[in-house]
Structure formats: structure tokens, C-alpha cells
Amino acid sequence: MKDLYRPMFLPDLLIRALERNGHRPAVHIGDATLSSAQVREKISCYVQAFRARGLERGAGVATLSKNRVEVLFSMGAVMVSGCRNTALHPLGSLEDHAYVLEDAGIEALLFDPSFADHVQELGRRLPGLRLLSYGEAPVGEDLIGLAAAFTPQRLVAPQVDGEDISALAYTGGTTGKPKGVMATYRSSAAMAQIMVSEWQWPEEVRHLVCTPLSHAGSSIFVPLQLQGAVMFVLPTFEAGAVLEAIERHRITTVMLVPSMIYALLDHPRFAQTDLSSLQSIYYGGSAISPTRLREAIEKLGSIFVQFFGQTEAPMTVSVLRKEEHLVDDLARLTSCGRPVPWTHVALLDDAGNEVAEGEPGELCVRGPLVMRGYWNKPAETAQALDGGWLHTGDVCRADEQGFLTIVDRKKDMIVSGGFNLFPREIEDVISRHPSIAAVAVVGVPDEKWGEAVKAVVVVRSGHTVDTAELIALVRQHKGSHHAPKSIDVVDAIPVSPLGKPDKKALRARYWAGAERLVH
């Protein structure tokens, strides 16, 4: 009887969509165009390859790769096998990757051969890790060759419960180490349902993917397949290549972070490129400049849809719809929209009570979209889900029509170019340098990235320091996206009455005159 009311989870939805679309084009990548039936067959062979190597329901599988079609095959196979997925960001450091692989209990790492040297070192650090390469590589087994040995079979969804963990998505941590957000089959199905119903899709969806398939690109895979869309996949984001692809393939939809929108607007070929096919531009990941958003609307039309969410409640807690982008109202263009009907949202004070209309309060969320908690971190889980709400850490105001505007963050977090960065992780690296007596990291306004990482350091008496050396140190240990854009050397860092670094006072130096403390 327990199966009588079992809902459709992401593997069920993927299988149903691929079967329904049959021989319609599904993916265009490089010089290849694959139908839904061909994608389904490839996924089947990868499922069998996984099983041949002992990867079945509940096994932890991680991916480290640039965009290539095999990522889609293995991503689908992870879903259908009931494995637990974890994506490693291509810009991440060796140190962080090793921590995530060990913390998540990953059994197999799927990787692009261009990462072979990096992966070889990961294999040394984690000798029990199975390495499977997308093609021949100096290390690991060729996953493409392994999958090619199997004959396609019918796809069968795994027998899973809604609260089973479908993925661990790692986000920065206030304690200096990333923490794994437990996505469930319940939450991922809710995410897909919300995206399909709330993102104002055009009748014909020709979607350009220029973000990592293993991250944001994967979130949109099933919603696109459910609509019979065709995906056009670029290896990475490069403004000129994106403009060319939109014109050549008559792209109707694309998902971008604000810094990508700025890069397109500022590209020398923007005005000469035919972008008339675009019908929906989905944007999110960080706050957008209202003046640049108005410029984009004036040049491209009312085709912008903002989505707002976080890893703990992925992709879409609220939306700002096309018709709600009012170009003559900059206050509206700073809004992250109104809550979608599929979530409960409240603005709460520190005592857990709803604030009065127009007053700032922490954005808190309930509903099937919300994570199960943080992997192996019960104390942080309890704090995040205190009182039966997900506490997002974003401080918002709501106007009389219900439009939300983020005015500050309770979390000590920086959002730069769509990346969530936690200062503690950067401070821990800089403080290793023998010349540094004290360090504090904050986000400062930046026209390109939204917010930029700023490090403020005190140098030990009798020592000197090259700030470029500190930036390189962070890049080495945390990756380029964590590296400070600038470093200020000061005599002292302001402290609170308790003697702790006063981040609020420090940020105030760089945010003077700003109407809101996010950018």
C-alpha cells in the first residue's frame, strides 16, 4: 500500500520525459545533435556501467568536468541508479575537493581527462576512491569505453523514499569548511515542479546552457526535458560565443547570473548580433544592478525572469515575472519578486515573530523545496531549521503588494558573480601567512561581480607583505573565485565590545551611502 500514493520523483520524471519525446532533438553539443531516445539509450548504458563497478542505490558519486555530453549521460545514470550525487566545481581547489570527497563518503569520481593531474593527486589522498574518466586518461578507467560495452535496456526508476538523499550540494561554511546540503527526492521534485510552472516558458524552448552542467545546468535538465525542449550546450561562458550561439541557433531561453548579463551588454558585438529570438532570460544567483537591468530591458525587451533561492531551498523561492519588471521604477528592479505558490514564506524577527509590513525581517521558508539538513552537522541543521522554518540568512522587506527586497544578510556571506563565499574560509588561508597578525574579509560593492572579496590585514611588527602573494595563496588553497579582488593593509581591525572583529563596522567603511547592504 505504501506505493499507492508515491509521488513522481526526479528519476521518474526524467524517464517519462525521455520516453515521451522519443526522436525529437534533445541536446546539441559540439557537432552532435542527440534525440531524447538516444539520450535515454546512453543513460541506460551508463547505468549498467555503474552497476558493473558496484555503484547502485545510495552510493556517493561525484563529478568534476567541463561541459560535455557525457556529463548529461552520467548525470541521468546517477538519478536512475538511485546514487547520491555531488558536483565538484571546476574552479575549486585541490584542498576543498579532497575535503568534500572524504566528508561526503564519495565512492566514485567521474572526471574530464583535462583534470587528470588534479584527480591523480586526489586519488593519492583518497586511495579507496574509484576514478572513472570521460575517455582515456593517464589515471582511472575509461567510463565511455566501459559504457559502450553494454546494450541499451529499458530505464527503471529506483525504489526510493521522498526523504532519501538524492544529492549533497556543498556550500561554504562559517566554520571554515564547506557543509553538505542534503537534497532529497522530495525537494528535487518540488524544484522541478516550481521551475516548470513558474518560469514563464515560451511555446518553443531552445535553451542555451553556458553554466556548468554539473551545477546549475543540471537543475534545469529535467524541467527542459519535460517540455520537449532542445538544449544547446557551450563548454563554458564566453560572451562572444554566447552571442554567436543565440543568433546561430535561434535560442529562445538562457539562464545567466548578473555578471554574465553585464558581459553581454558590454561586448563589442552586442549591437550587431541578432538576438530577436530570445523570449525568456532567467537570471539569479546574486543581486543585480537595477540600472543595468533597466538597460538590458530597454535593449532586449520585457523578457527577463528573476528567480531567487539558495542551496538549502534551491532555485526558486520567489520570482520576479516579466511583466513585473517596471523600467520606470528602480525600486521594483531591486526586488527579488514574490514568493511562488509552492512555498510558505515569512519575514521573522529574532524571536521568531512576523514583522510588520514594510519592516525588515529574516526571510524564512517552509515547504517541500526545503533541504533535509546539513550532512553530519546536527547542530548547524538545528540552527538553520529552528522553529520549523528554514532561516535563509537574508534580511528582506516586503511592500504592500508582497514584493520582497533583500536589504542585508544575517549570514557572514559574500555573493560574487553568483558564487556564495564565506569569509571565514578565506581568512583561514590568509592567516597562515607568517607576516599576518590579523585579517578580516568582507564583501564590497562591485559593478561587475555584484560584490567583490575585500581582505583587510594587519601586518606583524617588523614584517612586510606583498598583497599579490596573499591573493595567490588564497587562489592556491581555495580557487580563483575565492581570491580577494583587493587587499587593504591597516593598523588595526575594528573590534566589538566582546573583542571580536566588528564586521558590521568594517563593511560600513565600504558601503557608505548604499541604500541596501547587498549589491
Side-chain angles (χ1 to χ4, degrees), residues 150-225:
F150 295 95
T151 301
Q153 299 178 357
R154 186 173 70 90
L155 295 180
V156 179
Q159 289 298 310
V160 293
D161 183 78
E163 294 307 305
D164 288 343
I165 301 169
S166 60
L168 289 179
Y170 276 77
T171 183
T174 55
T175 59
K177 290 294 185 182
K179 54 185 184 291
V181 174
M182 293 187 284
T184 64
Y185 287 95
R186 175 255 305 154
S187 62
S188 57
M191 178 187 69
Q193 180 185 41
I194 293 170
M195 292 172 72
V196 169
S197 62
E198 300 297 328
W199 277 34
Q200 293 183 287
W201 298 94
E203 184 173 344
E204 181 185 11
V205 182
R206 298 171 63 82
H207 185 81
L208 182 66
V209 176
C210 52
T211 54
L213 278 174
S214 56
H215 288 69
S218 67
S219 300
I220 209 167
F221 181 42
V222 173
L224 287 173
Q225 293 305 307

Side-chain angles (χ1 to χ4, degrees), residues 54 85 192 206 221 258 338 344 349 351 373 436:
N85 180 57
R206 298 171 63 82
F221 181 42
R338 292 187 281 195
H344 299 282
D349 62 20
I436 298 302

Side-chain angles (χ1 to χ4, degrees), residues 49-126:
F50 284 178
R51 287 175 181 160
R53 294 299 176 262
L55 302 175
E56 300 196 38
R57 177 182 164 184
V61 177
T63 304
L64 176 61
S65 179
K66 62 184 181 181
N67 284 357
R68 51 186 299 159
V69 72
E70 290 83 9
V71 173
L72 285 177
F73 303 154
S74 61
M75 191 169 63
V78 167
M79 290 186 203
V80 175
S81 300
C83 294
R84 173 169 44 79
N85 180 57
T86 295
L88 299 181
H89 201 287
L91 297 180
S93 69
L94 181 70
E95 202 170 306
D96 277 356
H97 287 165
Y99 172 80
V100 167
L101 292 170
E102 184 171 17
D103 185 69
I106 298 299
E107 298 178 32
L109 173 60
L110 320 181
F111 68 96
D112 186 278
S114 62
F115 291 96
D117 291 344
H118 185 93
V119 169
Q120 189 166 32
E121 178 57 31
L122 290 173
R124 288 196 199 98
R125 296 191 183 195
L126 302 163

